[in-house]
Amino acid sequence: MKRFIAILVITLGIYSAAAAQSAITPYHERNDFLLASPGALKYGLYGYDNPAMLSYLRHPDLLVTWNDGTDPTHRWGLFAAVPNFGFGMTRQKIDGIYAADYRISLSGGDRTISSGMAYGWTKTDNPLLDKSSLLIFGTLIRPTPYTSAGITYTDAINTKGYELAGDIAIRPFGNELVTAFADYVMHRTPQLDEDMWSAGVAVEAVPGVRIIGRYFNTEAFTLGVQFSLGHAGVETKAHYSSEQKYTYNSYGIRLGAYDRNVIDKFFPCKDKFVEMNQPGDISYQRYTLFDDSQVLIGLIEDIEAAKQDPSVSGIAINTSGWTTDAEKLWELREKLKDFKTAGKKVFIFIDRGNIDLYHFASIADKIVMDPMGTFFLEGYRMGRTFYKGTLDKIGLGFDEWRFFKYKSANEALSRDKMSEADREQRQKIVDDWYKIAKSDICESRHLTSEQFDRLINNEVVFLAQQAKENGLVDSLGRWDKMKELVKNETGSDGNLVNAGTLLKFKQPYDSRWGEPPQIAVIYALGECDMDEGITARKLVKDFESAADDPKVKAIVLRVDSPGGDAVASDYIAEVMKKAKGKKPVIVSQGYVAGSGGYWLSMYADTIVAAPRTITGSIGVIGGWIYNKGLKDSLGISTDYVKVGDHADLGFGMTLPLIGLTVPDRNLTIDERARVESMIKTMYKEFVDKVTAGRKDKCSDVEPIAQGRVWSGLDGKQNGLVDVLGGLETAINIAKEHAGIPKCQEVTIVELPKKGLFNFDKIMPKFFSVETKVLNDPVIELLKFRLKHNGKPLPMLPLEDIEMMKQSK
């Protein structure tokens, strides 16, 4: 009985002692493996020290550390993390008992400000001595590339005590070359009520080689070295006591995330070819889920990353299955041309295509063609389908309200062939397209002007062997032949790699503190409409949000629109006009930016267009579809009562399936006169607005207006366009106007958001027949005209709207 009482007393004593103690190990002791203050170097201990640090981790990483045999605690640690989540543990021997501290950490935020929390607990060989759990809250603030500040608060759950720690680091050059750091800790527990601090400096004179010195308030100090090998690294740190005597060494091995290193910087193996091998459409944006399609801005970024990567010697592109418009192909060709200025090669595979695709491929150093492939060098044409006869046969009338020479948008319904004015402007555009392709192809393939014309006019269609004999391609073979070409080029077995493995996409975020400045790229695609196409009602909110966001330094509006509703166009034009005083606003015109599409552009600080862009068409047009026998043919009748002389204007039958109204009658002479006055007034307002927006660049708009469309080449000459280029050109101009160095990284914020996923791909197949009928171009044309029946519209022909739908 006495023995039992004695054991009980001892046990209660141990429990009481444990309860009186705090679970908080002093800051510098528990973070013994840190080479510097948490926010000064890389990612600290992956959330074990400050959980907010996890927001800077880009890829999974693992660090194993240990002290050598001269450390009596035999301390070692393991720290593993993925972006925003980390796990860490340390184990040591104290008074003959092994104790292990564990942490699970979470973080959120960005590279400017982030926060996180961690839960920690301790396990020992003696459960009676296990400490209680911890909660750790951390914040990391990096407002500029020069400063970093972190705060952690550690609270002991169910025991007494807390600890508050702050650290600060300064990079005088705004990069990793030199980092000065310091931390200050207030430790308040029953075992220790004390303030402590440390300070030091880290130097990275060459990439991945870091030398760190750290001094503590106890007069102890450490000297450490990190050496990176890329996806692996080693480190060591010598510890000196308060008497300045060497005590022991710490060591570490890191595996996982890429890090700067000497080898890749100074001794790169130039054996990589970036592989671009994905069929399908090249669009503007991706859906958030289930969408791996190629997008223009992504391809441009990949090519630029390959250009800057010292290990890349070329790009291999498979165009099989590509679908996109000629303007996007021109932009990609120009980017590849820029890529080649770095002394790198471009290999392109084609199996079939037309002159647009071949124009793109002609920039390649080597073109490989499928031995069973064909392509056409057919030249260029712009054609239209006319429905006047169709409307006559079905009993619909159409009254064209056209008062400007070149404004031909309604000719498809009012004529059976092109007007001379429309023929004139379209001929000039295709002449320009031909001139662009001819110049580029002849330069790249070393053809004379006469040879090119002969190939277009006499040959037209090329089988693979014929293409090779005419010097249009370099070799025949399937995509697999690229490996052989790469091997011959690099002298090795060849290494085709995905763009995601390039240096740009794996560089650690700690190379630059803080979020890079943002450029908003806002897409205005399709017809100008309040709720369809460019969806002006929503788009104006995105524009206002970007204009008011202090993180967004400039705005690029990408316009790919043939126009439409003047109200929708003016919504965006006016919000752009207001934004100009706050930050630079640059317009990038895509395949078409005419009429209402140019209305969207006119207030920009700079308008950028491709040579192949269709721009201008400053004019307004209208028309009126009305019943001319269809109602009787369908056996439909209508009746009404009215108050007001014109109340019946627009009244008529509702078409089955389409659900839109066909008016019973045409306008009277007086009504039409009022419409004419309205259209001419709107045209004058349009011209005045363009004059105001382009006052320093195009003083006299009227001679180039009248609804005439122009190529980007002509637009540059007559003042409608400022710079010839693509989306990347516009972004670079936006950076320049915002005072951002050209070489500095920026974050592109794309608006509006595309959506979660593409519902069309999961629609039941039994809807497909109905969908095809209702989406037929003729039905779409009729629906659009009836929806906007009688409205003055600044727009191009509907076939250009169809092109926009293909470009999204």
Side-chain angles (χ1 to χ4, degrees):
M1 185 65 180
K2 290 182 179 179
R3 175 179 289 182
F4 173 77
I5 293 174
I7 292 173
L8 180 62
V9 168
I10 292 171
T11 301
L12 290 174
I14 292 173
Y15 271 114
S16 298
Q21 291 181 349
S22 171
I24 304 175
T25 304
Y27 184 82
H28 291 137
E29 180 182 337
R30 72 172 183 271
N31 295 324
D32 181 53
F33 292 119
L34 272 176
L35 293 170
S37 300
L41 192 67
K42 298 292 290 178
Y43 319 109
L45 292 178
Y46 303 93
Y48 187 90
D49 43 3
N50 182 350
M53 291 294 299
L54 292 169
S55 294
Y56 259 74
L57 188 65
R58 192 168 189 175
H59 298 108
D61 214 8
L62 171 70
L63 175 66
V64 178
T65 59
W66 67 94
N67 293 337
D68 63 19
T70 57
D71 174 22
T73 67
H74 304 292
R75 184 179 175 91
W76 63 273
L78 183 148
F79 310 94
V82 296
N84 305 113
F85 178 80
F87 170 79
M89 66 162 290
T90 60
R91 182 175 172 86
Q92 59 185 330
K93 184 177 182 181
I94 303 176
D95 297 329
I97 297 175
Y98 282 98
D101 290 325
Y102 298 88
R103 300 279 190 281
I104 293 177
S105 310
L106 295 170
S107 77
D110 57 29
R111 290 153 65 182
T112 296
I113 181 168
S114 60
S115 59
M117 66 176 295
Y119 176 74
W121 69 97
T122 301
K123 289 292 183 181
T124 68
D125 290 346
N126 186 344
L128 298 178
L129 297 180
D130 284 352
K131 298 181 181 179
S132 299
S133 304
L134 300 173
L135 276 179
I136 303 170
F137 301 92
T139 298
L140 182 68
I141 302 173
R142 288 174 169 171
T144 73
Y146 302 93
T147 56
S148 172
I151 299 175
T152 57
Y153 176 79
T154 305
D155 184 62
I157 303 174
N158 299 326
T159 61
K160 297 179 180 180
Y162 70 91
E163 183 181 77
L164 181 64
D167 66 88
I168 188 169
I170 296 174
R171 285 179 168 179
F173 305 109
N175 56 30
E176 68 277 5
L177 183 63
V178 177
T179 306
F181 59 86
D183 53 63
Y184 193 90
V185 184
M186 293 186 294
H187 189 93
R188 302 292 184 263
T189 64
Q191 294 78 39
L192 183 66
D193 185 355
E194 186 178 308
D195 292 357
M196 56 196 79
W197 58 267
S198 75
V201 64
V203 177
E204 188 174 344
V206 293
V209 180
R210 305 173 184 100
I211 301 173
I212 308 101
R214 190 179 186 188
Y215 181 83
F216 297 86
N217 63 300
T218 60
E219 298 186 2
F221 66 93
T222 61
L223 294 174
V225 176
Q226 269 189 351
F227 187 81
S228 170
L229 299 171
H231 289 282
V234 295
E235 62 183 52
T236 183
K237 181 173 67 169
H239 299 255
Y240 294 82
S241 68
S242 55
E243 291 82 24
Q244 287 79 52
K245 293 182 179 180
Y246 169 79
T247 53
Y248 63 93
N249 252 57
S250 298
Y251 301 94
I253 296 176
R254 184 192 62 82
L255 296 170
Y258 181 84
D259 190 13
R260 300 177 296 273
N261 62 92
V262 175
I263 298 172
D264 287 349
K265 178 67 176 179
F266 299 108
F267 310 101
C269 295
K270 295 185 178 181
D271 62 347
K272 294 180 182 176
F273 258 67
V274 177
E275 179 181 26
M276 295 184 175
N277 179 20
Q278 183 176 338
D281 186 35
I282 299 174
S283 55
Y284 279 119
Q285 293 177 280
R286 293 189 186 97
Y287 291 94
T288 304
L289 301 175
F290 315 121
D291 187 358
D292 62 349
S293 60
Q294 300 180 101
V295 293
L296 177 64
I297 201 168
L299 290 173
I300 290 172
E301 187 179 36
D302 289 348
I303 296 170
E304 177 63 23
K307 177 186 175 184
Q308 300 299 332
D309 195 317
S311 68
V312 171
S313 58
I315 290 177
I317 301 174
N318 185 355
T319 66
S320 181
W322 272 21
T323 56
T324 192
D325 64 75
E327 192 280 334
K328 291 193 188 76
L329 288 173
W330 179 86
E331 288 196 46
L332 292 172
R333 189 185 194 279
E334 288 297 296
K335 189 58 194 174
L336 290 173
K337 186 176 180 180
D338 173 68
F339 172 82
K340 291 173 64 175
T341 62
K344 303 186 178 188
K345 302 294 185 179
V346 175
F347 298 165
I348 294 180
F349 172 81
I350 60 175
D351 54 7
R352 54 176 61 93
N354 61 7
I355 190 171
D356 288 331
L357 186 66
Y358 184 76
H359 178 210
F360 163 77
S362 67
I363 193 62
D365 296 283
K366 294 186 185 300
I367 300 176
V368 179
M369 185 173 179
D370 190 290
M372 298 303 295
T374 58
F375 68 80
F376 293 76
L377 292 184
E378 70 276 33
Y380 292 98
R381 55 108 178 94
M382 292 181 75
R384 305 184 68 172
T385 301
F386 296 89
Y387 300 102
K388 181 181 183 301
T390 305
L391 296 184
D392 290 341
K393 287 181 181 297
I394 65 176
L396 287 177
F398 181 74
D399 184 13
E400 181 184 24
W401 302 340
R402 175 177 178 176
F403 308 105
F404 309 105
K405 179 178 179 181
Y406 295 100
K407 198 64 182 172
S408 61
N410 282 337
E411 286 190 4
L413 299 180
S414 65
R415 301 177 63 92
D416 55 14
K417 63 180 180 179
M418 291 182 191
S419 66
E420 289 305 312
D422 195 33
R423 188 177 302 278
E424 175 192 345
Q425 63 182 346
R426 288 172 180 267
Q427 185 64 55
K428 182 63 171 68
I429 286 175
V430 295
D431 287 345
D432 285 348
W433 290 353
Y434 188 84
K435 180 169 67 174
I436 293 164
K438 181 177 182 177
S439 174
D440 289 344
I441 293 173
C442 287
E443 179 183 2
S444 297
R445 300 303 300 178
H446 309 296
L447 300 174
T448 66
S449 176
E450 293 75 16
Q451 285 176 315
F452 182 82
D453 291 337
R454 180 184 59 80
L455 293 174
I456 296 289
N457 297 322
N458 298 343
E459 302 294 338
V460 188
V461 183
F462 296 87
L463 297 175
Q465 188 59 40
Q466 293 171 324
K468 188 172 185 297
E469 291 171 356
N470 281 281
L472 296 175
V473 302
D474 299 289
S475 58
L476 307 182
R478 296 274 154 84
W479 171 248
D480 292 344
K481 188 176 179 66
M482 280 297 176
K483 293 182 179 179
E484 177 186 333
L485 293 176
V486 170
K487 180 178 180 180
N488 293 338
E489 180 66 28
T490 61
S492 64
D493 288 337
N495 190 9
L496 287 171
V497 300
N498 185 277
T501 65
L502 297 177
L503 193 60
K504 174 183 173 61
F505 304 118
K506 60 182 183 180
Q507 277 278 21
Y509 285 141
D510 79 306
S511 297
R512 184 192 187 277
W513 287 347
E515 281 290 328
Q518 295 181 0
I519 302 290
V521 175
I522 302 176
Y523 296 102
L525 310 177
E527 66 267 31
C528 293
D529 191 89
M530 295 300 291
D531 302 301
E532 299 177 14
I534 69 170
T535 59
R537 203 183 308 277
K538 296 178 182 178
L539 192 66
V540 70
K541 296 177 182 178
D542 288 322
F543 213 107
E544 289 172 340
S545 175
D548 294 336
D549 189 342
K551 294 182 292 185
V552 174
K553 305 305 179 185
I555 297 172
V556 173
L557 179 67
R558 175 69 171 199
V559 178
D560 233 334
S561 171
D565 185 358
V567 174
S569 298
D570 203 53
Y571 257 54
I572 305 305
E574 286 300 314
V575 75
M576 179 193 298
K577 188 177 179 181
K578 293 176 183 177
K580 278 180 67 175
K582 298 179 180 180
K583 56 191 65 175
V585 178
I586 313 300
V587 160
S588 167
Q589 296 183 338
Y591 174 79
V592 60
S595 203
Y598 194 82
W599 197 313
L600 297 173
S601 311
M602 61 192 178
Y603 289 134
D605 294 301
T606 304
I607 297 177
V608 180
R612 287 209 49 164
T613 296
I614 299 173
T615 190
S617 190
I618 299 167
V620 183
I621 199 167
W624 186 257
I625 296 177
Y626 60 95
N627 176 55
K628 202 175 178 180
L630 176 61
K631 188 168 67 171
D632 293 339
S633 299
L634 296 176
I636 297 174
S637 62
T638 58
D639 202 357
Y640 61 87
V641 296
K642 71 173 184 176
V643 175
D645 292 343
H646 307 284
D648 63 323
L649 184 62
F651 174 79
M653 66 173 176
T654 300
L655 287 177
L657 296 178
I658 297 177
L660 295 173
T661 299
V662 176
D664 280 346
R665 68 174 179 86
N666 197 358
L667 276 65
T668 66
I669 295 174
D670 289 341
E671 288 168 340
R672 199 177 192 282
R674 294 294 303 275
V675 167
E676 179 178 348
S677 175
M678 179 174 60
I679 289 176
K680 289 180 177 179
T681 299
M682 184 177 289
Y683 171 75
K684 184 178 183 304
E685 291 177 355
F686 193 175
V687 171
D688 289 345
K689 285 174 180 287
V690 174
T691 301
R694 305 289 298 164
K695 58 185 176 181
D696 297 329
K697 302 154 187 175
C698 185
S699 57
D700 191 4
V701 174
E702 181 61 33
I704 56 174
Q706 289 288 317
R708 175 154 185 172
V709 293
W710 304 91
S711 69
L713 276 177
D714 286 338
K716 175 67 169 64
Q717 293 176 357
N718 63 32
L720 291 175
V721 171
D722 298 303
V723 178
L724 291 177
L727 183 56
E728 184 185 38
T729 305
I731 292 172
N732 288 336
I733 291 172
K735 289 173 65 175
E736 180 184 354
H737 285 200
I740 302 171
K742 185 177 180 179
C743 60
Q744 183 172 328
E745 175 192 5
V746 295
T747 297
I748 301 299
V749 179
E750 295 183 271
L751 298 169
K753 299 300 182 185
K754 182 72 169 178
L756 195 60
F757 54 85
N758 187 357
F759 286 94
D760 292 341
K761 291 187 176 181
I762 59 173
M763 289 289 285
K765 289 187 177 180
F766 57 80
F767 285 120
S768 62
V769 175
E770 180 183 358
T771 300
K772 287 180 181 178
V773 171
L774 294 181
N775 288 337
D776 181 85
V778 179
I779 301 297
E780 286 289 303
L781 173 61
L782 192 58
K783 287 169 63 178
F784 184 88
R785 290 303 184 193
L786 287 172
K787 178 181 177 181
H788 298 282
N789 207 18
K791 295 180 182 178
L793 298 174
M795 65 174 295
L796 290 170
L798 263 292
E799 53 262 35
D800 295 317
I801 291 180
E802 290 304 314
M803 178 60 75
M804 292 308 95
K805 291 179 179 178
Q806 296 171 21
S807 300
K808 285 188 180 182

